[in-house]
Amino acid sequence: MKTKWICMILMLVFALNLSACGNGQEDGNSSEYEPVKIEPQSEEDDDSSENTGTENSDMNETNQQDNGTDKKNPAVGTVENSAFSGKVSGCYYAHGNRIIVAADKLYLYDTEKGQTIASADISMEDLCVQSYADGYLVVGQGSGGNSNASFAASDSSGINGYILNKDFAIQDTISFSGLLRDDFVLQTTGVAVSQDGKQIAFGGFQGLYLYDTSSREIRTILNYSGESTADNMQIVTMDSLAFTENGTLVYVGMAADTSIGGDGISVYGTVSTDSGEFTMTKKADYKVDTEEVQKGGNLLIMPQSFDKNNGTLLIFDTASNTEKTMSFSGGSEGKDGVYCSGQGRYVATSVLGEDSVTINIYDTTSGKSIHTETIRDSNGTYFLRVPQILILDESGTCIVVLGRGIDEVSTLITTFGFAG
């Protein structure tokens, strides 16, 4: 009799375990094209299981490896596609854990709360978004979607800008092409706003200019043809601009050797907005992709052009006026994109495969790799183009945007956490 009761108890325990496993599998299912929220995993855990990711049915599978030490998991932010109307064409860093999402219009989105805070009726191509103390500057190609806005100049074609306050309300609009009679702005990355929002610098084909947001007056800081020569090098373009904390401008552009002529050479340096005095550093052995230059905190991140990539990254510290080079884990790493966090603590690279993209996150101070994440999907179309990646320093959240420039697929946004 005693043996019989023991057997019955064991059978009951076994049945309860089966029921618990079944419920767990049901709760783990996620719907198609929803972002995946993943908690960081230690290197020890990675060795104990072959399947370390989260998988959507017919969607994406994420494998991760955290190379850092044991730390308390940060609160990972999320991005819900359902919060936006139309196809998402890009995500951009705002303040703290907030981002700006471009779809049918612009949305201010809180990743910690997982919800939209505000929106603005703006729709432009080739967006460049910058945040400053009291708001945002959005620069892009086209006139935008706000038909009621009056531009600071009459010409609304070409490259235009919108100034928004912290509540995401449009305060002013600027037509950079209309501000210049005999010059034009080359690209959206050649526009920068000061931290107090009082000045906007922008580079044209012939010179560098400064716009006062209060008086709406414009003045020339530097004329390329007569004032921008040093050591037989003459500035040809200033393609990327950023303000430092003390109000000085840093630039990345192209210069020509006046003694021998020939193709342009990558240069970077600083410019005084008061006197026009400038410095210029020649990088003959390093070709900067000027459209991909990013500023995070005090750091200016200067990725190499993909055709000259050798697995290194040039970083300029605008506070100390010093440069350093970071080496990635792979010799060709960086050709599929390099991305800087909002405060400059981290940089990430993406490595594209046929059905996956691997994200490597590095600490900018030490140069060490601290996290690796692989995102997979059965639809290889997502991996035909370089993704967009945002890194939020405070929460240790990485946002990966796939398919934003591909009409054949819906934009896929995946988030994961990492320990810095």
Side-chain angles (χ1 to χ4, degrees):
M1 179 65 70
K2 184 176 181 181
T3 303
K4 181 179 179 181
W5 277 109
I6 293 174
C7 291
M8 290 179 66
I9 291 171
L10 289 175
M11 290 176 64
L12 179 60
V13 171
F14 181 72
L16 289 173
N17 283 338
L18 285 177
S19 176
C21 291
N23 291 336
Q25 289 174 354
E26 264 182 29
D27 293 341
N29 289 338
S30 52
S31 60
E32 189 174 7
Y33 293 111
E34 288 185 352
V36 180
K37 179 179 176 182
I38 301 166
E39 299 297 334
Q41 177 176 322
S42 67
E43 190 171 12
E44 293 178 359
D45 291 341
D46 187 67
D47 292 335
S48 64
S49 175
E50 291 183 3
N51 184 7
T52 60
T54 300
E55 184 176 354
N56 271 3
S57 92
D58 249 0
M59 248 302 277
N60 61 6
E61 178 183 334
T62 308
N63 297 323
Q64 60 184 358
Q65 178 182 352
D66 188 348
N67 297 323
T69 57
D70 255 351
K71 298 183 179 180
K72 184 178 180 181
N73 289 347
V76 181
T78 60
V79 182
E80 300 288 346
N81 256 334
S82 58
F84 322 111
S85 298
K87 180 179 173 65
V88 173
S89 59
C91 298
Y92 309 89
Y93 178 75
H95 293 100
N97 291 319
R98 295 183 176 184
I99 63 174
I100 294 173
V101 179
D104 61 325
K105 53 185 173 181
L106 294 186
Y107 297 84
L108 182 62
Y109 185 87
D110 191 311
T111 62
E112 187 175 23
K113 297 178 179 178
Q115 64 185 32
T116 297
I117 304 300
S119 64
D121 188 16
I122 298 174
S123 178
M124 297 188 291
E125 297 179 355
D126 195 20
L127 280 185
C128 181
V129 178
Q130 301 174 50
S131 59
Y132 60 94
D134 296 319
Y136 310 94
L137 173 66
V138 179
V139 181
Q141 290 274 5
S143 59
N146 193 335
S147 58
N148 296 322
S150 57
F151 278 84
S154 58
D155 184 8
S156 62
S157 63
I159 293 179
N160 302 306
Y162 286 83
I163 299 175
L164 299 92
N165 62 18
K166 273 192 174 181
D167 295 326
F168 222 53
I170 298 174
Q171 303 297 294
D172 197 5
T173 53
I174 305 168
S175 169
F176 292 102
S177 299
L179 290 175
L180 303 173
R181 293 182 179 179
D182 303 319
D183 202 354
F184 59 92
V185 180
L186 298 174
Q187 54 194 39
T188 58
T189 55
V191 180
V193 63
S194 60
Q195 281 302 301
D196 58 11
K198 295 181 179 180
Q199 297 177 319
I200 296 177
F202 57 100
F205 188 71
Q206 301 177 25
L208 179 64
Y209 309 93
L210 193 68
Y211 176 77
D212 187 291
T213 57
S214 297
S215 66
R216 295 187 174 182
E217 293 181 352
I218 181 175
R219 66 179 176 87
T220 302
I221 301 175
L222 193 65
N223 190 315
Y224 297 158
S225 60
E227 304 168 352
S228 60
T229 302
D231 298 329
N232 293 325
M233 298 294 297
Q234 180 171 342
I235 294 174
V236 177
T237 58
M238 289 185 174
D239 303 299
S240 295
L241 294 170
F243 275 91
T244 65
E245 288 186 347
N246 62 11
T248 301
L249 279 170
V250 291
Y251 72 91
V252 179
M254 302 297 291
D257 191 327
T258 58
S259 63
I260 61 174
D263 296 335
I265 298 173
S266 293
V267 294
Y268 76 88
T270 61
V271 183
S272 169
T273 55
D274 296 325
S275 64
E277 183 179 354
F278 70 95
T279 65
M280 179 165 46
T281 299
K282 179 175 65 174
K283 304 303 297 181
D285 58 341
Y286 189 100
K287 184 179 178 182
V288 181
D289 187 341
T290 55
E291 294 187 17
E292 297 301 325
V293 173
Q294 303 153 55
K295 186 173 182 290
N298 292 322
L299 300 182
L300 194 69
I301 305 297
M302 295 180 276
Q304 287 198 77
S305 176
F306 75 95
D307 59 329
K308 299 294 183 180
N309 175 73
N310 63 356
T312 61
L313 174 66
L314 181 65
I315 300 176
F316 179 64
D317 190 324
T318 63
S320 61
N321 288 324
T322 58
E323 71 170 47
K324 71 174 183 178
T325 301
M326 175 185 292
S327 295
F328 298 131
S329 300
S332 62
E333 194 173 334
K335 68 179 179 63
D336 294 336
V338 178
Y339 315 88
C340 179
S341 67
Q343 297 178 13
R345 298 176 190 170
Y346 313 102
V347 294
T349 64
S350 64
V351 180
L352 290 170
E354 291 184 0
D355 62 350
S356 67
V357 59
T358 297
I359 312 300
N360 296 315
I361 299 179
Y362 296 83
D363 181 280
T364 54
T365 301
S366 66
K368 294 181 179 179
S369 174
I370 61 172
H371 189 92
T372 295
E373 193 92 13
T374 297
I375 299 169
R376 302 184 185 278
D377 193 272
S378 58
N379 189 347
T381 306
Y382 281 113
F383 311 105
L384 295 178
R385 293 189 186 180
V386 172
Q388 184 186 32
I389 296 176
L390 277 72
I391 307 172
L392 308 184
D393 299 78
E394 293 89 344
S395 62
T397 298
C398 185
I399 303 169
V400 182
V401 185
L402 293 164
R404 65 188 184 118
I406 305 175
D407 294 335
E408 293 79 10
V409 295
S410 300
T411 302
L412 170 62
I413 304 176
T414 300
T415 64
F416 63 85
F418 65 94

